[in-house]
Amino acid sequence: MRVTGLFVIVFAVLCAALGFGMWAAPEELAGALKVGILAPEGLSTLRGDLGGLFVALAALCFAGVWTRRTVLLQAAALVLFAIVVGRLTGVVDDGLPGGVPRALVIEIAAIVALALHARALGRAQAPERAGLTRVILLVLGLGVAAKLGFSAALANPTVQQKIFERAVAQRMGADNSALLADDALRVAVCGTSAPLPSKARAKACVAVIAGGRFYIVDVGPESVENLMQWGVPLNRIGGVLITHFHSDHIGDLGELNLQTWAQGRPAPLNVYGGPGIDQVVGGFNQAYRIDQGYRTVHHTAKFMPPETWPMVARTVEMTGPATPAKARTGVVLDDGKLKITAIEVDHGPIEPAYAYRFDYKGRSVVISGDIKNHPPLARAAMGADILVSEAIARPMVERMEAGAKGLGRPRVERIMHDIQDYHISPQEAAGLANQAKVKLLVFYHLLPAPDGMIARRTFESGIDAARDGAWTLADDGSLYTLPLESKDVRIGRVPRAP
């Protein structure tokens, strides 16, 4: 009895560690356990459901050994039995994933230990409890039978074909046109990372939606894939605005042009930016020209018309002569309802570098692009509802610089050192937002990408003390809605396309 009791205690400690680990650092533990649901919804599941399950299982084991109550040990064994059945039926559906056999051995051994320890305690179980146990086992058995029957049905080719056809119909019919309803000024963040890689984040990209059209501010690598997955009607693009010509802000420009053209964009795509935009746009046009020819020949000019394919460079000129203060502005577009203003910013030695302000029917948003701590931006953003600002967590990058030095990687060390002097920190951005009296400060172009609870908390350190109002870290898919004829600022997620 001592041996089985000791095994149960050890197993309980392991479950408690896993449960509290899921609550504290789900992403890190998920990687170790090869669990793939790492989207925000998946992390909530790991933290809540799995964390709670393991803690509850540990509590049952501890309580059963401590109180010598067989019913608690039996309950723990039933929970484990359900887990084992779930693993086995999962194998029927998906095959045998790595790591499962070891977990199965531990769980089956724990079930045996729990059963033997409960029996060794020798406590006679009340008849009604025995009946309850039989009912639970019967329900569990029926559930297992249903699961196995469902799995067998999924293995049928006819059923598979029907499921695939339904999925195709849903995917092909995905339409998020409701996002473009003319009842609000909306900001959807398509990419939130800087050049450093992130599995969960595309590079810099922000979509501003107004008047039934959407405008893209920067189009970093992977960002167009987000737009397509969201079911945004790409043919309703109003234009592209480039803040500056770093690769992580222009890398998907060719793909955006291609995909909006393929979805029926009615005219060439206007791309706005500072001096040099003609070179960037011309380069992408040249690189994709052969591809355009293939597609027009293959699909015919009726569906892929060559006259609507190209991008057109629109150089944004600032009013007045250049000064060291970099405080000029220039109007990009003004149709009487929507006004887009380019704002000169300091990202030296990178020139030109612009922020953009959108004003639509009394609501407004400013997107910083990459920027140093630049006081003129506060004046240009005065009274805006939202300031979307890039941010670098310098203490984190300093540690990365030191780590590269310790590993003998001088190139990485130099890059980590250099990038610190031409980006704005979250605390500095908070100061600008306070001066501008903006309602909500949104951080994007996050350097480094704060993927995981610990990294996110580290990145956010000190912002509350610096910011006098609301702020938030954006994720890919964050949606900020400014209803017209209102002062509300609503924070949410891009909805799934119906």
Side-chain angles (χ1 to χ4, degrees), residues 23 40 103 126 166 210 345 347 407 434 464 482:
W23 283 346
R166 182 177 179 182
V345 296
H347 186 40
L407 292 170
N434 295 342
D464 277 331
L482 304 173

Side-chain angles (χ1 to χ4, degrees), residues 415-438:
I415 292 171
M416 292 299 104
H417 174 79
D418 289 348
I419 63 177
Q420 296 174 48
D421 70 0
Y422 69 170
H423 291 288
I424 191 169
S425 73
Q427 296 78 16
E428 292 166 342
L432 294 182
N434 295 342
Q435 295 175 43
K437 302 185 186 319
V438 300

Side-chain angles (χ1 to χ4, degrees), residues 18-30 35 37-55 451-457:
L18 285 173
F20 288 118
M22 287 293 183
W23 283 346
E27 191 169 75
E28 288 79 0
L29 203 56
V35 177
I37 44 175
L38 297 181
E41 316 86 66
L43 289 178
S44 297
T45 298
L46 289 171
R47 178 176 282 123
D49 298 353
L50 293 183
L53 173 64
F54 283 122
V55 170
D451 298 336
M453 185 271 294
I454 294 174
R456 195 178 188 96
R457 296 293 182 268

Side-chain angles (χ1 to χ4, degrees), residues 333-470:
L333 180 151
D334 189 351
D335 63 7
K337 296 179 180 178
L338 173 64
K339 182 179 181 180
I340 305 175
T341 305
I343 304 163
E344 188 178 30
V345 296
D346 186 2
H347 186 40
I350 311 307
E351 291 187 7
Y354 295 165
Y356 291 99
R357 176 169 179 148
F358 292 75
D359 289 277
Y360 184 68
K361 295 184 177 180
R363 306 313 302 265
S364 53
V365 59
V366 176
I367 295 100
S368 73
D370 287 3
I371 185 175
K372 294 182 179 181
N373 187 11
H374 185 57
L377 180 64
R379 293 193 294 272
M382 186 63 64
D385 293 293
I386 298 175
L387 170 60
V388 182
S389 174
E390 70 130 344
I392 180 174
R394 290 198 188 95
M396 299 175 75
V397 177
E398 287 170 355
R399 287 192 284 271
M400 296 169 70
E401 178 188 352
K405 182 178 181 179
L407 292 170
R409 302 183 66 186
R411 287 179 179 271
V412 176
E413 178 191 354
R414 177 59 186 265
I415 292 171
M416 292 299 104
H417 174 79
D418 289 348
I419 63 177
Q420 296 174 48
D421 70 0
Y422 69 170
H423 291 288
I424 191 169
S425 73
Q427 296 78 16
E428 292 166 342
L432 294 182
N434 295 342
Q435 295 175 43
K437 302 185 186 319
V438 300
K439 293 184 178 70
L440 176 65
L441 171 61
V442 176
F443 294 107
Y444 86 125
H445 192 275
L446 306 171
L447 182 61
D451 298 336
M453 185 271 294
I454 294 174
R456 195 178 188 96
R457 296 293 182 268
T458 304
F459 196 102
E460 295 173 340
S461 178
I463 300 178
D464 277 331
R467 172 66 175 143
D468 292 338

